[in-house]
Amino acid sequence: MPDALRVAAMDCGTNSLRLLVTDVRGEEKRDVVREMRVVRLGQGVDETGRFHPDALDRTLAVTREFGELATVLGAQRIRFCATSAARDAENADELNDGVESILGVRPEVLTGEDEARASFLGATRSTSGSALVVDIGGGSTELVVGADGDVQWSHSFDVGSVRLTERFLPSDPVSIDEVTALEAYLDGLLVPQVSSLEPVSTLVGVAGTITTVAAHALELPSYDSSAIHGARISVDDMRTACLSLLRMSVADRRALPFMHPGRADVIGAGAMILDAVLDAVPLATDTVTVSEHDILDGIAWGAAGL
């Protein structure tokens, strides 16, 4: 892409660290590489309020790997954004200082509102019309309503697959009492915020929890981004897939051909969040559109100044 700006975007979440190197020119974007590593930065943060030393070591090691790759690929700008776990950790400066020493740029710790906006723009920049974007992460979940690139309403909930697994679902497989307690918690959190929304006619699901549930609903023989991106899956099929994943043991989830091994132990809680959202949000559609474009793409657009 002639005269394009090559940027490297890094999204440091509670469970994973992801890299996107992409060429941006005007409203065009052409991806060069996408990478993801499960680093579990949020290990124990919900309980202790601090990053565990091992989690920091894992995250900084992958940051170094991604920084070297970005340099080899000729990235002209690097943007590193951290989300839920970095908002909560008392020792977040240990992460920030470490990243800055490796990349030469200081991480941006996104607020819940910033995270919601980046997710919405990443998922919908090339589309028109109104939509609700659902982004379930390891530490938080963002719901965003907007149209044609403009955010009209958003809310960030402190519920994510890692946080809720540690808090509510310690057993393997999960017990009925654990599931009941988490269902009640999610209903009490979500319903007051979303029940007054106008019925949603387009619902877009992004990020690893939702794409993994989609892979299960589609019964994919392996994780296939091309099959997942843009897939329109019935709400009923997504909810059935959520329940199926929740009931499995971690070993059975790990044996699924599309399952990333670093997601197997927390996907049950993530699936419960998605199921609760689909139950609580007023829907004027019976399908979920799944997108592989998400907050990482929003970070990249921001790195390019757009």
Side-chain angles (χ1 to χ4, degrees), residues 11-17 37-46 51 55 58-59 82-88 115 137-140 160-164 166:
D11 167 34
C12 185
T14 301
N15 196 44
S16 64
L17 176 55
R37 305 285 185 272
V38 172
V39 295
R40 196 62 60 86
L41 176 63
Q43 172 190 343
V45 169
D46 188 61
F51 288 136
R58 292 191 299 266
T59 302
T83 53
S84 176
R87 292 195 292 267
D88 296 344
E115 187 175 353
S140 67
S161 60
V162 175
R163 188 190 299 273
L164 295 191
E166 292 180 348

Side-chain angles (χ1 to χ4, degrees), residues 196-271:
S196 61
L197 291 175
E198 291 295 318
V200 173
S201 58
T202 301
L203 191 153
V204 181
V206 303
T209 287
I210 294 178
T211 58
T212 300
V213 172
H216 192 42
L218 294 169
E219 299 181 344
L220 296 182
S222 63
Y223 192 90
D224 182 351
S225 295
S226 62
I228 292 170
H229 183 62
R232 299 179 75 248
I233 304 171
S234 75
V235 170
D236 287 345
D237 285 350
M238 289 292 278
R239 297 191 71 180
T240 297
C242 287
L243 181 59
S244 172
L245 289 167
L246 175 65
R247 287 173 170 170
M248 290 182 186
S249 68
V250 172
D252 286 343
R253 294 173 191 158
R254 194 166 281 131
L256 294 169
F258 52 78
M259 181 67 66
H260 190 288
R263 202 177 299 282
D265 61 330
V266 297
I267 190 64

Side-chain angles (χ1 to χ4, degrees), residues 125-165:
R125 191 175 184 96
S126 61
T127 63
S128 60
S130 62
L132 166 67
V133 173
V134 182
D135 181 346
I136 300 171
S140 67
T141 293
E142 280 66 46
L143 303 184
V144 198
V145 176
D148 302 320
D150 293 324
V151 174
Q152 299 164 346
W153 173 91
S154 68
H155 193 86
S156 180
F157 299 88
D158 281 334
V159 294
S161 60
V162 175
R163 188 190 299 273
L164 295 191
T165 298

